Amino acid sequence: MFSCGGSETEEEELQQDQGDEEISLTLEISDLLVEFPENPANEAEIGKITFSSENLTEDVTFEITELSVNGAVSINSDGALIVSDASAFDYESVQSITGKVSASADDLTDEASFTITITNVLEVVSVSTFAGNGNGGFINGPAANAEFNNSIDGIVADNDGNIFVADLFNYVVRKITPDGVVSTYSGSGTRGSSNGASNVAEFSYIISIEIDQQGNLYVGDGGSNHVIRKITPDGTVSTFAGVMGTEGYKDSDDRLTAEFDFPTSLTFDQNGDLYVCDNDFNNRIRKVSTEGIVSTIAGGDVKDFKDGNVSEAQFNNPRGIAIDDNGNLYVCDIGNNRIRKISPDGEVSTVAGSGDAGYKDCQGTSAQFNLPLDIEINSEGDFYILDSRNNAVRKMTPDGVVTTIAGDGTSGYKDGDPKTANFNGPRQMTIDQLGNLYITDRGNVRIRKITIE
């Protein structure tokens, strides 16, 4: 059978009576979510087949009965799957190897399936602190001494390696240079709605931030403003979409007459169209085209869960959003603890997450999340998911295999080894040009960096 991590395992059990004793053999196979580099060493152990039994008089013997790639894998007498032909593990041509294993003893036989996922591995080297001393405040200067408000949220990187942070209740956008200098990029520090130069502009609730190809920043300004603001490279702020101070839902041929509720996440496609998670009461995915037309892509008034055509699909607080090179949108549906996909032909589907709040590395809808707040796509087409209440960064392959790349599932503050690093309520993340991740670690009031090579 197919399961993940040995938990909640489905079991097949064959039983027969032998005198007064019952003989039973139960085979339990864990999901082998092992990330192999191309051409691993022959004889490398992939994972071990585990089983439980009662009253057997013979040793269990194993045999591979089916294999999708001939000769790629063998199984030894201990039930360990072994690489037999390393050249078969070629990520460019093979992304997974599937097969079946039988186990036999005392004239009993049980059979189960296995899947080995092959990935073009990017190694997570370390977790470090990029900026912030851990105290809530408002101090610019060297990154190690800088202070942010304890409600940091949106974050984005530009092509030069600068990081921009939505410093929510300081009512400003902060900038961190590659050499670690923190400054105020835009905003007077006063809550309000004024547009204008960087030192006089006011924000109300900047929770999301994105950047276009020209280096302009866009922020979702919720709270009492309900608009999307634009910040030019010189820091000048203007209203890009929505009616300042008007909360509502209205599509329009003129972006400045459209209405939004709570624009919590933004992403651009290759054409320059902007996609928006319009959260809270609207529960919709909206689009602002390069022509200034605001339309609804999917979702509706009801907070619920429903896949299918975009006209009928339902979301429950859509939060993070990303788009791939084929025009597929991926949305963190946080109220449903699922990752949803919206295809260009208008179909909404679930690509990962069972719907139950939990923490389980697995494939597709067998995986579990607990408040997945943000999603990013790397240059290899893999997804990073910020699993906030699990205090972990998860990775999802294009075929839906979910693993953990950083964080051990507990809250805290610890740099170093990704497997033992701790986060505390991480909110959003971004990827730089080198493939490194930067995370707003709200509970620790720091910007964390995950170095990937």
Side-chain angles (χ1 to χ4, degrees), residues 152-155 165 425-428 438-442 446-447:
I152 50 176
D153 214 297
I155 186 168
V165 178
R427 300 295 291 182
Q428 293 197 46
Y438 297 82
I439 295 166
T440 48
D441 190 3
R442 176 179 284 189
R446 292 175 167 98
I447 311 303

Side-chain angles (χ1 to χ4, degrees), residues 160-177:
D160 297 321
N162 298 297
I163 304 297
F164 299 89
V165 178
D167 195 353
L168 185 59
F169 290 135
N170 279 327
Y171 309 109
V172 296
V173 175
R174 311 285 288 279
K175 176 182 177 180
I176 312 169
T177 62

Side-chain angles (χ1 to χ4, degrees), residues 14 101 118 140 149 175 196 224 311 322 332 336 359 396 435 443 447:
L14 297 176
V101 169
I118 305 167
N140 288 321
N149 184 274
K175 176 182 177 180
S224 58
S311 61
C332 292
N336 287 316
Y359 188 4
M396 182 178 71
I447 311 303

Side-chain angles (χ1 to χ4, degrees), residues 7-8 11 20 28-29 34 65 98 102 165 168 190 232 238 248 251 271 278 348 351 360 389 406 414 418 436 438 452:
S7 62
E8 300 182 16
E11 299 180 352
D20 294 328
E28 181 181 286
I29 297 184
V34 180
T65 57
T98 59
S102 69
V165 178
L168 185 59
T190 301
T232 61
S238 61
D251 287 337
N271 299 320
D278 192 7
V348 178
V351 294
K360 186 178 180 182
R389 286 186 183 154
K414 185 179 180 182
N436 301 306
Y438 297 82
I452 299 175

Side-chain angles (χ1 to χ4, degrees), residues 359-381:
Y359 188 4
K360 186 178 180 182
D361 284 341
C362 201
Q363 186 164 22
T365 55
S366 295
Q368 289 181 341
F369 305 94
N370 193 352
L371 201 71
L373 285 181
D374 200 10
I375 186 168
E376 295 284 344
I377 306 176
N378 69 15
S379 60
E380 304 294 328

Side-chain angles (χ1 to χ4, degrees), residues 240-353:
F240 177 73
V243 178
M244 184 67 74
T246 299
E247 177 184 17
Y249 167 63
K250 180 183 177 184
D251 287 337
S252 175
D253 290 341
D254 178 359
R255 54 184 167 84
L256 292 175
T257 63
E259 295 175 2
F260 297 85
D261 185 1
F262 195 13
T264 57
S265 187
L266 311 171
T267 193
F268 281 99
D269 66 14
Q270 294 176 334
N271 299 320
D273 297 319
L274 180 66
Y275 295 85
V276 183
C277 283
D278 192 7
N279 205 334
D280 209 358
F281 292 109
N282 284 344
N283 287 291
R284 291 174 169 92
I285 312 304
R286 315 280 293 278
K287 176 182 176 181
V288 185
S289 72
T290 54
E291 293 81 16
I293 299 171
V294 177
S295 59
T296 297
I297 300 298
D301 293 328
V302 179
K303 292 184 177 182
D304 209 333
F305 168 71
K306 187 177 182 181
D307 283 335
N309 188 269
V310 290
S311 61
E312 300 177 348
Q314 294 173 335
F315 297 83
N316 188 352
N317 287 331
R319 185 63 154 75
I321 189 169
I323 190 166
D324 67 17
D325 291 340
N326 297 315
N328 297 295
L329 286 167
Y330 295 84
V331 178
C332 292
D333 190 358
I334 65 173
N336 287 316
N337 288 298
R338 291 176 165 101
I339 307 302
R340 313 284 293 279
K341 175 182 176 181
I342 307 172
S343 65
D345 61 359
E347 288 298 313
V348 178
S349 59
T350 299
V351 294

